[in-house]
Amino acid sequence: MSKIIWLEWEKANFDKAKNEQKPILLDIMATWCYWCKRLDHDTYDNEEVIKFVNEKFVPIRVDTDKRPDINIRYNIGGWPTTTILNIEGEIISGAMYLSPYQMLSFLENAIKLFKEQNKKIQTEITERKFDNKDLNKLKEDIFNDIKANYDPYFGGFGFDQKFPFHNILEFLLQLKDNESKEMLIKTLTNMSEGEIFDKEEYGFYRYATQKDWSQPHYEKLLDDNSRLIAIYLLAYKLTSIDKFKETAQKTIDFILNNFLDKEKNYFYASQDADEAYSKLTLKERKIAKKPNIDKTLFLDFNCYAINAIFLASEILNNKEYKKIALAALDFLLKNLVNKEGVLHYYDNKYYPPYLLKNHLILINSLLNTNQEDYIKKAEELIKLTMKNFFDQDFFYDIKESEDNFGFLKIRKIDPEQNSLAIKVLINLYKKTNKQEYFELAAKTINSVKDFIDPNSVFSSSFAEIIERFFKIKI
């Protein structure tokens, strides 16, 4: 049986599209994604689809975890993303999961659009701006939008499928008022009691398809679980609710039992969705075949885990946890940092790209050690970060490079990553008492605020930063 010959995201393959005058079929997938596997099985294994794609397109496949810089520019609403590009890397058409019949129709229409060359859905990335003059009002507007999306019956945000929005929960933890605390407690309680939390092997599934946190999608991701560990620990510290400590402890157990490479001291990325396995009892699971685990090391996912385990060491008074976190951090420093910057992932080889987020989150992990030698490394790394990603007022998400093509030629001012940059600068100021870090944080807040959409729940990261910033006493 023939198959689609998937190519890498490389300039040579864009040159191939130009030379052959063919559109590019860009498939953005994830190893843990159930519907990505269905698309492969149902559609990309179909003989008609295979023949049509191989003859008429240059097919390129991208893993969203390995190339978040591509995903943020080309994803049209989830995974799988099926996008048609012209030879310059501009979007002509897009869809998500498609049956074989739908796919053939979609591809035939894409060929027509490609030939017309003037009917493009998107030819550039534009940064939307807002008139946010007052930081306190912006924070209030974001909080009001969160309240409007809060489900008072089941907790969480939104009234259909439920995701554990870490950024919102982290913001609510900063506020500490009664209304915020009530939303936080209701959400975290219902999540830990709902089907989104695995009661047998522990850990959180990626999201629930129902508003009562039931009928989850069964993949488990390192970054989700790590961020939730930290949230539950901080919520326990805030409220003294033992259920939160218990949930954090169980989730740590899941990560250490399933995601920790005990020889190399780093954490694996994800566990595939397997509904049948997930419905077994613990006794049945011990003899059943476990879901596949993606053993790729992603630096940002590992830093979330390291930060959570440092926090657990402190709050749960467990010295062994600090040893685990330090060993993982040392592995990252040895294997994913060079003189040019911080690498994104590792699976026995080294892979760029150099992304802003990786630099920032690694700096945060270094600061969380509370050890002078690591804090010095953090200061060295922030200098490199400024050199590669900062330009007068903002942090850009990727390095400038002549090798970038398609939408990667455009560096994005990502509000969430700029919020993380401000958080890092605030933490550097607290650890070193150097005024320059505080001043740069203040400058970045004022530059970025007009890129924040006050009506988006995803803006809560910036609202959290405003709250942290105003608490600092100079």
Side-chain angles (χ1 to χ4, degrees), residues 22-40:
K22 289 180 180 177
I24 293 159
L25 168 61
L26 175 62
D27 174 50
I28 304 178
M29 47 70 71
T31 58
W32 42 260
C33 169
Y34 171 78
W35 284 104
C36 300
K37 291 179 175 64
R38 282 287 306 271
L39 183 65
D40 268 354

Side-chain angles (χ1 to χ4, degrees), residues 139 142-143 145-146 165-172 174 227 416 419 452-454 456-467:
K139 186 184 77 171
I142 293 169
F143 185 57
D145 191 74
I146 289 170
F165 286 113
H166 324 99
N167 49 352
I168 295 177
L169 297 170
E170 288 159 357
F171 175 43
L172 296 179
Q174 285 292 315
R227 292 182 75 173
E416 195 158 0
S419 298
I452 305 298
D453 180 356
S456 167
V457 294
F458 297 104
S459 297
S460 51
S461 295
F462 190 76
E464 182 208 347
I465 292 308
I466 297 172
E467 187 68 15

Side-chain angles (χ1 to χ4, degrees), residues 23 105 226 232 239 247 250 277 319 346 387 405 466 470:
S105 176
S226 300
Y232 272 92
T239 65
T247 302
K250 287 178 175 178
Y277 178 86
K319 291 180 181 177
Y346 169 95
K387 177 186 171 187
F405 50 91
I466 297 172
F470 285 149

Side-chain angles (χ1 to χ4, degrees), residues 173 188-189 191-193 197-199 201-204 222 224-258 267 304-305 307-318 321:
L173 279 164
L188 295 183
T189 300
M191 281 174 57
S192 61
E193 292 176 354
F197 186 73
D198 182 350
K199 308 299 188 299
E201 281 189 324
Y202 308 143
F204 286 90
L222 174 63
D224 280 349
N225 278 279
S226 300
R227 292 182 75 173
L228 287 170
I229 288 167
I231 288 164
Y232 272 92
L233 287 170
L234 292 171
Y236 166 67
K237 189 176 179 182
L238 177 67
T239 65
S240 299
I241 295 174
D242 284 335
K243 178 72 173 177
F244 295 165
K245 180 173 84 167
E246 179 189 320
T247 302
Q249 183 66 72
K250 287 178 175 178
T251 310
I252 292 168
D253 290 346
F254 166 75
I255 283 179
L256 297 184
N257 290 336
N258 294 277
F267 296 92
Y304 283 127
N307 294 343
I309 293 170
F310 274 138
L311 186 63
S313 173
E314 176 193 326
I315 292 177
L316 303 179
N317 193 26
N318 186 319
Y321 286 163

Side-chain angles (χ1 to χ4, degrees), residues 12 60 65 69 89 94 139 210 230-231 281 283 289 291 326 423:
I60 292 176
D65 291 326
D69 53 335
K139 186 184 77 171
Q210 303 302 310
I231 288 164
T281 64
K283 186 178 179 181
K289 184 183 176 184
L326 282 172
K423 185 176 184 176

Side-chain angles (χ1 to χ4, degrees), residues 127-135 138 394 413 415 443-454 459 462 466:
E127 307 286 358
R128 190 178 172 197
K129 296 191 78 172
F130 302 85
D131 188 20
N132 297 320
K133 292 186 176 67
D134 187 296
L135 285 173
L138 174 57
F394 311 103
I413 303 166
K443 179 180 182 181
T444 309
I445 282 177
N446 283 307
S447 301
V448 172
K449 70 179 190 299
D450 288 334
F451 291 89
I452 305 298
D453 180 356
S459 297
F462 190 76
I466 297 172

Side-chain angles (χ1 to χ4, degrees), residues 322-356:
K322 185 164 187 180
K323 290 179 187 175
I324 292 169
L326 282 172
L329 182 56
D330 287 339
F331 186 91
L332 298 184
L333 290 171
K334 182 180 178 182
N335 293 284
L336 281 92
V337 181
N338 62 28
K339 63 182 181 181
E340 294 182 59
V342 178
L343 299 161
H344 178 50
Y345 70 99
Y346 169 95
D347 55 7
N348 298 314
K349 290 195 294 183
Y350 307 102
Y351 299 89
Y354 300 108
L355 306 174
L356 169 65

